[in-house]
Amino acid sequence: MAKQKIIYDCDPGHDDAVALMLAANSPELELLGVTVAAGNQTLDNTARNACHVLQWLGREDVPVYAGCGQPMVRDRVTAGDIHGETGLDGPVFPPLRKTVEREHAVSYLSRALLASEGEITVVTSGPMTNLAMAMRMEPGVVEKIQRIVLMGGSYTNGNVTPAAEFNILADPEAAHVCFTSGRPITMIGLDVTRKVLCYPEIVERMAKADTRASRLFVDLMKHFCKTQKEVFGWEGGPLHDPVTIAFLLDPALVATKPMNVRVDLSRGDSYGRTNCDAFGYLGLPATADVAVDIDAERFWDLIEAGLRRYGGTEADA
Ligand code: BDR
Ligand code: CA
């Protein structure tokens, strides 16, 4: 069967890094390119982190494109409290050989999508600035997007404000552009990603895989779980972003419900909230399939299988 082509747009970020691990060696996916935006940290940091992770994984051949360093309208917010000063605090990487492509991420997204025949899924796990900008600059890309699978939003509580989740709050206007694009969207929000908490026993289990990917996973999770505990009191950090890739590998993993989703752009207390009409009160057409449940055991099996597919040495990292 043909591999599913994806472009992965992210802001690494500890959980973005784990998603990259899963995407970069899956037999079912063809990772065409990685685009990065400012989000968890500044653009310089997120671009460097994407390169470090791909180099560590032995996938220097996957191009990394740096995109927008600022949201479309609002001022930039970062998540240093969770991901640290570098955006990927914890692991110690070898000197970086891999470089970022010269082409801007928005230009790459436009070029790749326009040249496609509608077979590319765009996965986003950071603020949606790059994708929204591509849609605005080249409206022709919209119909070329097979679908958008995003980590972001929540129909319950947020994680930066009571109302809003980080990826949406970091660029609500960009999320609005994407949610109103008319393309098929699967929204993987906090409602399900908070069901995959990376408890210490999960970290121990992954450590046993003893591959270069699992060693990176352990180093990442040590930092991530510590800050998640400090900020939210969780005993295990919610592994948000890899749910997007796990869902592509096994769609039955996540239960979804079609809903009308509107991003609150009002600049009040609920700025950046994804208002999801779960009960269809508004009588409006559904604009996204919203994740409502996840098989957590199966998720961890997929993560472990992904980590085990990597070799054991770091010789080429
Ligand atoms: C999202 O925010 C970021 O900090 C994580 O990488 C994830 O994409 C969770 O709200
Ligand atoms: Ca992210």
Side-chain angles (χ1 to χ4, degrees):
M1 212 173 73
K3 290 184 170 195
Q4 168 67 62
K5 293 183 181 180
I6 67 166
I7 296 174
Y8 187 57
D9 185 64
C10 56
D11 63 338
H14 294 70
D15 48 341
D16 304 79
V18 177
L20 271 175
M21 290 181 194
L22 209 53
N25 78 344
S26 151
E28 291 100 345
L29 301 178
E30 183 179 349
L31 180 58
L32 300 176
V34 172
T35 52
V36 297
N40 284 323
Q41 261 300 346
T42 59
L43 184 64
D44 283 355
N45 279 310
T46 56
R48 190 197 55 243
N49 293 342
C51 290
H52 268 308
V53 171
L54 288 167
Q55 180 179 307
W56 181 272
L57 298 174
R59 290 300 316 266
E60 281 178 65
D61 56 307
V62 177
V64 172
Y65 301 87
C68 299
Q70 296 283 343
M72 291 180 98
V73 179
R74 67 158 300 158
D75 292 338
R76 189 173 67 205
V77 286
T78 55
D81 55 340
I82 298 291
H83 300 272
E85 263 178 39
T86 64
L88 213 52
D89 278 14
V92 178
F93 290 103
L96 192 57
R97 292 186 304 264
K98 182 166 172 56
T99 53
V100 173
E101 303 298 311
R102 291 176 70 91
E103 187 176 11
H104 193 281
V106 174
S107 148
Y108 165 70
L109 276 162
S110 306
R111 179 172 61 81
L113 287 163
L114 287 176
S116 77
E117 284 170 12
E119 74 281 19
I120 300 175
T121 288
V122 181
V123 181
T124 72
S125 67
M128 302 180 86
T129 322
N130 289 334
L131 183 56
M133 288 294 281
M135 289 186 194
R136 284 297 193 246
M137 285 176 64
E138 283 283 1
V141 307
V142 175
E143 63 182 22
K144 295 290 192 138
I145 299 170
Q146 186 182 61
R147 65 175 158 158
I148 301 167
V149 176
L150 74 121
M151 190 283 132
S154 166
Y155 60 84
T156 51
N157 293 313
N159 62 352
V160 186
T161 68
E165 180 279 333
F166 178 80
N167 289 338
I168 306 298
L169 184 64
D171 198 342
E173 285 75 18
H176 168 80
V177 169
C178 295
F179 273 100
T180 53
S181 67
R183 298 312 298 153
I185 297 187
T186 303
M187 176 185 128
I188 311 268
L190 297 174
D191 320 289
V192 296
T193 65
R194 281 175 169 158
K195 294 181 179 175
V196 286
L197 299 178
C198 191
Y199 290 117
E201 51 270 30
I202 301 277
V203 180
E204 280 166 34
R205 170 179 163 188
M206 301 305 163
K208 291 197 182 113
D210 200 22
T211 63
R212 61 174 179 262
S214 72
R215 286 192 279 279
L216 178 57
F217 178 91
V218 170
D219 287 349
L220 288 166
M221 288 304 108
K222 274 187 196 151
H223 177 90
F224 187 65
C225 294
K226 183 170 141 298
T227 56
Q228 288 283 348
K229 173 133 172 94
E230 285 162 6
V231 177
F232 297 104
W234 312 110
E235 291 305 326
L239 208 50
H240 309 287
D241 296 341
V243 178
T244 54
I245 304 295
F247 166 71
L248 289 180
L249 301 181
D250 180 2
L253 179 78
V254 175
T256 60
K257 187 173 177 187
M259 301 183 198
N260 180 271
V261 180
R262 283 215 281 223
V263 180
D264 188 317
L265 300 181
S266 66
R267 297 270 177 164
D269 288 346
S270 296
Y271 185 41
R273 177 177 166 80
T274 45
N275 283 313
C276 300
D277 189 10
F279 298 100
Y281 298 125
L282 301 174
L284 295 171
T287 50
D289 289 326
V290 177
V292 293
D293 206 359
I294 183 167
D295 180 342
E297 273 185 42
R298 174 91 187 110
F299 173 77
W300 294 118
D301 289 347
L302 284 169
I303 295 285
E304 183 179 355
L307 297 180
R308 284 188 183 278
R309 270 195 299 272
Y310 286 91
T313 72
E314 283 134 42
D316 55 348

